[in-house]
């Protein structure tokens, strides 16, 4: 085989963040930038030689070029077999499923998830291990180490592989199988949910809309919701994956899924609305004039899991990322199961899932999932809710309100300050850290602080420690303020402020969220001087 050894200069900035290596497309288009990171993966995971690799992406700009480069490098690095999604398409959850189902050595997923795409947008690359989950920190650190000292990479000069129809090709000892990206995933969903019951719900006067945001879930949602479950044609909006997502942020939240919000906040009744992100792992759940906070969604899914076929036998335990509200903790307590608190990022759930300690997990950032794969899963959450609605025959709002009445309501919001100057963001965090010693016991705007620290996670399975995972200011009444800097942004720094206030009394469950959190918002400003340090009057995005 004609393997070419190409000398290259190492890049110093290929340290993966919360979810893979994410940079602007232009950054990725620097000479050999993609190749350097891909070679670092092959060097760090020698088992890929002779192994099976899953490959696909969310269809964003640069996806197709990158896939051809990776195929040529995989051939040169001795990979035996590759499963690649037709058109280069695989959602993140579908890729995770393929890795597990076909016992692959690992998978490469090309996505910058909820970040905008197109030539002026972002690109990203993630590696998932043989359990189907995102590479854990020790492995991403190893990628970084290899990338920073790389001096050559290996590639073959093969013709581009046709990706637009299923088929297989033998190329220089590498077998490339182009597969339907939806088949295996759709099959898995049918094993977890009561499709007959959902079909019956959709056959009645129940109406729903799903916004694929011109991202990867279009083909998945059309197949499962429309073709299999019988939802009306046109239920799936923005179904065609586009390289620039139609110029929008493929981020399923109230700010970016505006058209869908307008459909649900409208007298013409739509019973259920949902959306997913660039790579299909996030979800937003809406009822008529009603938004379900992702943290509440996780809690409600946990509380009702016994009603869903795939979870009928109960839950082993649950987990949430540290900034996610404590709503699920209350459910776990009632169920008598463990609830784990992990740092932000799905990679931290992997060990707990593999070890059989948890069945469900989630993040406040519109991510929910279970042990069926090792990634968060947007359509899974949507199907879970549809199955639940079919069983309980109540509206989304009624289900959520009943949950609050039973468990209390966790008022919750996240305020993002995007693309602020990195030094200013660091100074703000340092300013907060300097107050740790004096804060406990202090009363600020009428609320007493009981703890202030930097969150450290001790993994109970591999006993590794992850430090500096967000600043927590905890109050005596259970309220929390969390400050973190994003690990997925590509411009400057993004400050995330997470606010949580518990309210037990059902008489107080009708407040506007931002109004209910106003005292905490004021305390956050007093402690962090956000306006002073960022120069911003208001957050860029509120979810
Ligand atoms: C954000 C979210 C985090 C999520 C990550 C990847 O990270 O806060 O909860 O796991 O995105 O999601 P950060 O570091 O920017 O806060 V996805 O759907 O973009 O892969
Ligand atoms: Co995503």
């Amino acid at each position: 085989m004609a393997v070419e050894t190409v000398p290259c200069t190492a890049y110093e900035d290929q340290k993966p963040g919360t979810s893979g290596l994410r940079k602007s497309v232009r950054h990725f288009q620097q000479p050999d930038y993609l190749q350097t990171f891909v070679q670092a993966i092959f060097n760090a995971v020698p088992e890929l030689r002779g192994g099976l690799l899953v490959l696909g992406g969310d269809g964003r700009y640069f996806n197709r070029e990158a896939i051809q480069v990776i195929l040529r490098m995989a051939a040169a690095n001795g990979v035996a077999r590759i499963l690649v999604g037709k058109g280069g398409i695989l959602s993140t959850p579908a890729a995770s499923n393929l890795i597990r189902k076909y016992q692959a050595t690992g998978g490469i997923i090309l996505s910058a998830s909820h970040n905008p795409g197109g030539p002026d947008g972002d690109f990203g690359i993630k590696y998932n291990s043989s359990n189907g989950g995102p590479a854990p920190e020790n492995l991403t650190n190893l990628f970084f180490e290899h990338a920073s000292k790389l001096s050559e990479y290996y590639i073959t000069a093969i013709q581009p592989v046709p990706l637009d129809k299923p088929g297989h090709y033998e190329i220089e000892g590498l077998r490339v199988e182009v597969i339907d990206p939806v088949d295996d995933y759709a099959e898995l969903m049918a094993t977890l949910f009561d499709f007959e019951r959902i079909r019956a719900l959709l056959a009645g006067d129940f109406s729903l809309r799903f916004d694929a945001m011109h991202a990867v879930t279009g083909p998945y949602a059309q197949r499962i919701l429309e073709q299999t479950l019988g939802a009306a044609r046109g239920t799936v909006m923005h179904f065609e994956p586009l390289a620039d997502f139609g110029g929008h942020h493929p981020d399923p939240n109230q700010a970016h899924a505006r058209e869908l919000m307008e459909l649900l906040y409208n007298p013409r009744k739509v019973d259920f609305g949902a959306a997913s992100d660039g790579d299909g792992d996030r979800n937003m759940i809406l009822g008529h004039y009603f938004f379900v906070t992702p943290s509440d969604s996780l809690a409600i899914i946990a509380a009702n899991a016994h009603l869903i076929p795939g979870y009928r036998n109960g839950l082993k335990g649950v987990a949430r990322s540290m900034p996610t509200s404590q709503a699920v903790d209350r459910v776990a307590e009632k169920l008598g199961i463990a609830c784990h608190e992990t740092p932000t990022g799905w990679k931290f759930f992997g060990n707990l899932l593999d070890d059989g300690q948890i069945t469900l997990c989630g993040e406040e950032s519109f991510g929910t999932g279970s042990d069926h794969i090792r990634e968060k899963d947007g359509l899974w959450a949507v199907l879970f809710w549809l199955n639940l609605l079919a069983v309980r025959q109540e509206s989304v709002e009624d289900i959520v309100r009943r949950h609050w009445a039973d468990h209390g309501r966790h008022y919750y919001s996240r305020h993002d300050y995007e693309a602020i100057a990195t030094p200013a963001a660091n100074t703000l965090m340092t300013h907060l850290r300097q107050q740790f010693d004096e804060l406990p016991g202090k009363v600020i705007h009428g609320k007493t602080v009981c703890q202030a620290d930097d969150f450290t996670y001790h993994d109970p399975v591999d006993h590794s420690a992850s430090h500096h995972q967000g600043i927590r200011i905890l109050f005596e009444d259970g309220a929390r303020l969390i400050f973190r800097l994003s690990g997925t942004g590509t411009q400057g720094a993004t400050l995330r402020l997470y606010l949580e206030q518990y309210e037990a009394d059902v008489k107080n469950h009708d407040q506007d969220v931002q109004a209910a959190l106003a005292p905490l918002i004021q305390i956050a400003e007093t402690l962090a001087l956000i306006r002073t340090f960022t120069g911003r009057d208001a957050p860029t995005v509120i979810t």
Side-chain angles (χ1 to χ4, degrees), residues 19 22 92 111-114 126 250 277-282 376:
S19 176
R22 212 172 278 192
T92 289
S111 172
S113 189
H114 57 284
K126 319 187 262 191
D277 71 331
D279 60 331
D281 55 0
R282 296 188 179 206
K376 56 187 187 253

Side-chain angles (χ1 to χ4, degrees), residues 423-454:
N426 290 331
T427 316
L428 183 151
M429 295 298 272
T430 306
H431 173 71
L432 281 168
R433 287 195 180 99
Q434 283 163 348
Q435 301 171 63
F436 283 173
D437 289 344
E438 68 194 52
L439 279 176
K442 202 167 169 179
V443 182
I444 313 159
H445 302 301
K447 286 176 90 76
T448 310
V449 178
C450 64
Q451 195 179 327
D453 62 12
D454 244 318

Side-chain angles (χ1 to χ4, degrees), residues 95-413:
S96 181
N97 177 44
L98 288 171
I99 295 169
R100 296 170 66 76
K101 184 168 176 180
Y102 297 103
Q103 291 165 10
T105 308
I108 293 180
I109 305 170
L110 304 169
S111 172
S113 189
H114 57 284
N115 297 27
D120 300 320
D122 290 335
F123 190 74
I125 173 164
K126 319 187 262 191
Y127 180 78
N128 283 30
S129 302
S130 60
N131 70 344
E137 266 193 332
N138 55 8
L139 190 51
T140 55
N141 288 340
L142 200 59
F143 296 159
F144 177 54
E145 253 174 61
H146 278 284
S148 341
K149 57 171 199 243
L150 204 79
S151 57
E152 58 186 35
Y153 66 87
Y154 314 106
I155 194 159
T156 47
I158 53 174
Q159 292 297 312
V161 178
L163 294 176
D164 289 315
K165 56 175 201 299
H168 28 86
Y169 309 90
E170 298 288 338
I171 304 157
E172 311 262 10
L174 167 68
R175 180 179 167 87
V176 179
E177 296 175 30
V178 181
I179 58 167
D180 182 283
V182 181
D183 287 348
D184 296 274
Y185 179 82
E187 210 175 277
L188 174 64
M189 291 301 112
T191 66
L192 299 172
F193 301 110
D194 189 341
F195 272 22
E196 279 312 316
R197 213 153 175 170
I198 301 177
R199 214 174 275 134
L201 174 78
L202 302 187
D205 57 5
F206 183 90
S207 61
L208 80 156
R209 298 304 293 269
F210 178 90
D211 190 349
M213 306 192 85
H214 283 308
V216 80
T217 39
Y220 295 86
Q222 278 193 321
R223 168 87 68 86
I224 297 171
L225 298 177
E226 295 185 10
Q227 291 159 25
T228 308
L229 295 171
R233 270 185 72 173
T235 294
V236 182
M237 311 155 55
H238 306 130
F239 56 82
E240 194 190 354
L242 297 178
D244 68 348
F245 308 117
H248 299 293
H249 274 259
D251 198 355
N253 60 35
Q254 311 93 307
H256 294 305
R258 199 157 294 154
E259 245 179 88
L260 180 73
M261 291 298 288
E262 279 162 17
L263 284 171
L264 272 292
Y265 284 72
N266 188 303
R268 269 189 58 186
K269 192 165 176 219
V270 176
D271 297 288
F272 181 77
S276 191
D277 71 331
D279 60 331
D281 55 0
R282 296 188 179 206
N283 74 90
M284 175 168 68
I285 302 293
L286 301 167
H288 192 219
Y289 286 105
F290 199 83
F291 166 73
V292 185
T293 303
S295 298
D296 279 346
S297 178
L298 173 64
I300 290 164
I301 283 175
N304 291 280
H306 61 283
L307 301 175
I308 309 298
Y311 305 91
R312 189 162 283 150
N313 297 331
L315 306 176
K316 294 171 181 155
V318 292
R320 62 165 170 83
S321 69
M322 183 274 282
T324 303
S325 99
Q326 298 162 99
V328 72
D329 302 37
R330 291 182 192 273
V331 175
E333 210 186 314
K334 279 202 180 171
L335 294 175
I337 55 174
C339 177
H340 299 262
E341 186 176 44
T342 58
T344 293
W346 211 262
K347 59 183 170 230
F348 294 102
F349 294 131
N351 280 344
L352 294 169
L353 290 162
D354 286 350
D355 199 47
Q357 297 199 31
I358 59 169
T359 307
L360 296 175
C361 45
E363 297 190 277
E364 53 65 42
S365 55
F366 299 81
T368 340
S370 88
D371 57 3
H372 67 291
I373 51 169
R374 293 295 180 271
E375 286 278 5
K376 56 187 187 253
D377 190 343
L379 262 171
W380 171 87
V382 173
L383 291 167
F384 196 110
W385 268 93
L386 285 173
N387 199 154
L388 184 58
L389 292 165
V391 173
R392 288 194 37 180
Q393 298 285 321
E394 293 165 71
S395 72
V396 171
E397 176 166 356
D398 288 346
I399 289 177
V400 177
R401 287 192 179 278
R402 172 69 63 83
H403 186 88
W404 291 341
D406 291 346
H407 298 80
R409 177 173 183 186
H410 290 256
Y411 282 101
Y412 187 85
S413 183

